[in-house]
Amino acid sequence: MKDLLHVIRPLGILLMAFSVAFLPPIGVSLYFDEGALPPFVAGAAINFAVGFVMWIVGRWHRRELKSRDGFLLVALIWMLVAATATVPMILGLGMSFTDAYFETMSGVTTTGATVITGLDHLPHAHNLWRHELTWLGGLGIIGLAMAVLPLLGVGGMQVYRAEATGPIKDSKLTPRFVQTARSIWLIYTGLTVACVFAFRIAGMSWFDAVCHSFSVLSLGGFSTHDASIGYFNSPLIEAIAAVFMLLAGINFATHFVCWRARSLQPYLRDAEIRTMLLLVVISSFGLAFYVWLLGSYPSYWTALRHAFFNVISVGLTCGLASTDFGQWPVFASLWMLMLSCVLSAAGSTGGGIKMIRLLILFKQSARELTSLVHPSAVSTLKVGGQVISDRTVLSVFGFIHLYTISVVSLSMLLVLSGMDLPTSFSAVIASINNTGPGIGAVGPAGTYQTLTGFQTWTCTAAMLIGRLEVFVLVVLLTPTFWRE
């Protein structure tokens, strides 16, 4: 209980700051005059009031955050922000709390799964709100907290350590951590603005350009149209989206290093980037040939166009779709879902296990095979020229173990609830990897609206587990965490 009291104050500060996020939808509502203003005003007021009360209560329990506090704060931020963000959905769209919480959690975790149909006719303010949540969740509300909390007397490094439980490269890129966080957010914002203008030049309206830029840079996958990016039927728009999705799938620390050095060499030396691009190229050409050979498209080049876009989108956990790839042979959809487990780089806005962990896993497996043949050999595990410690290797194995247990357990829960196995497995993989579309009823042409309440909450939990990279939530369930 004492740990909870110590994080109430910074949590209240964050909630009060988050109330500012309601202003853009309020402005859009006034501009389009669609009658969506009251729900967002109420949402901002409730959010600020709850944060203010928490701040008042927490003033009497103020101290510097410890590492253990960071884990609790991270988990509570994601859960409470998603909860307070439901107000406009409940008051404005008449959604149940279960569906509204699923939608907002899908947004802040950049999953892009939705329970809403008729997106083309949704009020502009609500559409913007969904996309704004994905954008804020892109580099993480925690990333924003790292830049803001120190200014308010609350340390941000402990929060960073709690979220960055995996191997992170260049974790301290400037003498001051806060300066690093601000620089990365500046790069993130700059890429978003560039994407907006590129989409506008390619033919999107300003509103669609802003919303889809939020989705692309956050790898969130929400769209303003039921047909997703396929609504525009434009190879140019798909190419622009693909380029910016690739940029979003790269470690933003690498972007920062390249920007500071004014050189592309860091990109060329990055093992994650090289492996990512290799998998994208092989998968795109291979799946294009596969679906063309089985008659999904009359032309190989049409097949290549859609395979290229959807491999990048699904593989990097964005989830925008240029076509209903659920109509492709099931192997194609399954292969892209498997790519979503590993394709994104650590420090990117993507989800899944992350490419760096896959590389470490393969390198360690090779090292073990070598030791079987040469028991006395001493070998060092390196990725991209960087030595990986045995402690990091153990952490990666621990993460993959917990990730696998989570996927199996949640899939079995969905099967137990009456869902068929393929849909259950794909829904969990798509949720825990923060990808969005799965297979079957939850495929690119469907929504999660058909799920029961229990199934909806199961997928919601999977989204949160995936976004917080398993460890943060699991450690809160251990008795050791709560001991003094």
Side-chain angles (χ1 to χ4, degrees), residues 89 93 95-96 98-122 126-131 133-134 215 219-229 317-321 419 423 426-427 430-431 434-438 440-452 455-457 459-460 463:
M89 302 288 188
L93 301 179
M95 297 173 67
S96 67
T98 295
D99 284 346
Y101 194 74
F102 177 93
E103 194 76 16
T104 55
M105 182 62 76
S106 180
V108 297
T109 58
T110 73
T111 304
T114 184
V115 294
I116 300 175
T117 55
L119 295 174
D120 302 76
H121 307 293
L122 199 68
H126 287 91
N127 247 331
L128 179 65
W129 182 235
R130 297 166 64 246
H131 289 81
L133 290 176
T134 67
S215 276
L219 295 175
F222 277 151
S223 178
T224 54
H225 304 283
D226 289 326
S228 191
I229 209 78
T317 75
C318 181
L320 289 171
M419 186 182 290
T423 304
S426 71
S431 296
N434 307 128
T435 304
V442 295
T447 70
Y448 285 69
Q449 191 179 51
T450 57
L451 273 59
T452 65
Q455 293 167 348
T456 300
W457 280 108
C459 289
T460 302
M463 294 179 203

Side-chain angles (χ1 to χ4, degrees), residues 8 60 68 80 225 287 379 407:
I8 282 181
W60 307 107
R68 189 167 66 171
L80 285 181
H225 304 283
L287 288 185
S379 59
V407 170

Side-chain angles (χ1 to χ4, degrees), residues 363-379:
K363 294 270 188 175
Q364 177 62 19
S365 299
R367 188 164 69 159
E368 290 296 323
L369 291 174
T370 300
S371 68
L372 290 176
V373 180
H374 305 286
S376 301
V378 177
S379 59

Side-chain angles (χ1 to χ4, degrees), residues 3-41:
D3 290 317
L4 184 60
L5 291 174
H6 289 313
V7 302
I8 282 181
R9 177 178 170 270
L11 190 57
I13 293 172
L14 277 170
L15 285 180
M16 287 191 288
F18 180 65
S19 62
V20 177
F22 288 81
L23 295 180
I26 287 174
V28 168
S29 178
L30 290 172
Y31 179 81
F32 287 101
D33 193 24
E34 294 174 319
L37 182 62
F40 287 98
V41 173

Side-chain angles (χ1 to χ4, degrees), residues 51-87:
F52 183 75
V53 170
M54 295 177 72
W55 175 70
I56 292 294
V57 172
R59 289 180 65 188
W60 307 107
H61 303 277
R62 179 176 178 178
R63 67 163 168 77
E64 178 66 19
L65 292 179
K66 297 179 180 179
S67 296
R68 189 167 66 171
D69 300 328
F71 287 101
L72 187 58
L73 180 57
V74 165
L76 289 176
I77 287 173
W78 288 96
M79 289 188 283
L80 285 181
V81 164
T84 57
T86 62
V87 175

Side-chain angles (χ1 to χ4, degrees), residues 279 310-319 333-345 350-355 403 426 428-437:
L279 281 175
N310 290 289
V311 161
I312 292 175
S313 181
V314 178
L316 289 175
T317 75
C318 181
S333 297
L334 189 60
W335 178 258
M336 292 190 294
L337 275 179
M338 293 301 100
L339 283 179
S340 74
C341 297
V342 298
L343 200 60
S344 300
I353 293 172
K354 303 293 175 28
M355 181 61 71
Y403 173 90
S426 71
V428 169
I429 287 290
S431 296
I432 203 168
N433 289 343
N434 307 128
T435 304

Side-chain angles (χ1 to χ4, degrees), residues 21 39 67 71 166 169 210 214 232 245-246 268 315 349 372 402-403 458:
S67 296
F71 287 101
K169 303 172 297 179
V210 169
F214 284 175
F232 302 98
M245 282 189 288
L246 285 171
L268 302 178
T349 58
L372 290 176
L402 290 175
Y403 173 90
T458 301

